[in-house]
């Protein structure tokens, strides 16, 4: 899921979503190993967030 889709799914701008990511309140985006460029989000994680308002339990330990 690209940034635009993730932002649209929660009806927030990229700046707000990024702030949530930094606080650990939104799923972390995936990134390319080669240049550490953030490329998007896991659709399942964002869908879970939209349904529950939280991070998937198995992903919490990554924060």
């Amino acid at each position: 899921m690209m940034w635009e889709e993730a932002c649209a799914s929660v009806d927030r701008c990229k700046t707000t979503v990024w702030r949530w990511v930094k606080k650990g309140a939104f799923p972390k985006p995936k990134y390319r190993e080669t240049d550490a460029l953030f490329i998007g989000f896991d659709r399942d994680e964002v869908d879970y967030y939209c349904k529950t308002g939280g991070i998937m339990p198995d992903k919490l330990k990554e924060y």
Side-chain angles (χ1 to χ4, degrees):
M1 174 178 279
M2 299 308 295
W3 275 95
E4 293 78 19
E5 294 174 285
C7 293
S9 67
V10 293
D11 195 28
R12 295 292 188 269
C13 67
K14 187 174 180 178
T15 305
T16 300
V17 171
W18 183 242
R19 193 171 36 237
W20 290 354
V21 167
K22 291 196 307 190
K23 288 182 177 179
F26 194 80
K28 287 185 177 182
K30 298 180 198 177
Y31 66 94
R32 287 194 305 225
E33 293 288 331
T34 55
D35 57 6
L37 177 70
F38 289 111
I39 57 173
F41 294 87
D42 183 300
R43 186 173 302 279
D44 292 337
E45 290 181 41
V46 174
D47 288 344
Y48 182 87
Y49 177 85
C50 289
K51 290 177 187 172
T52 67
I55 307 295
M56 292 177 93
D58 60 329
K59 299 291 182 182
L60 280 173
K61 60 183 172 250
E62 296 177 13
Y63 287 91

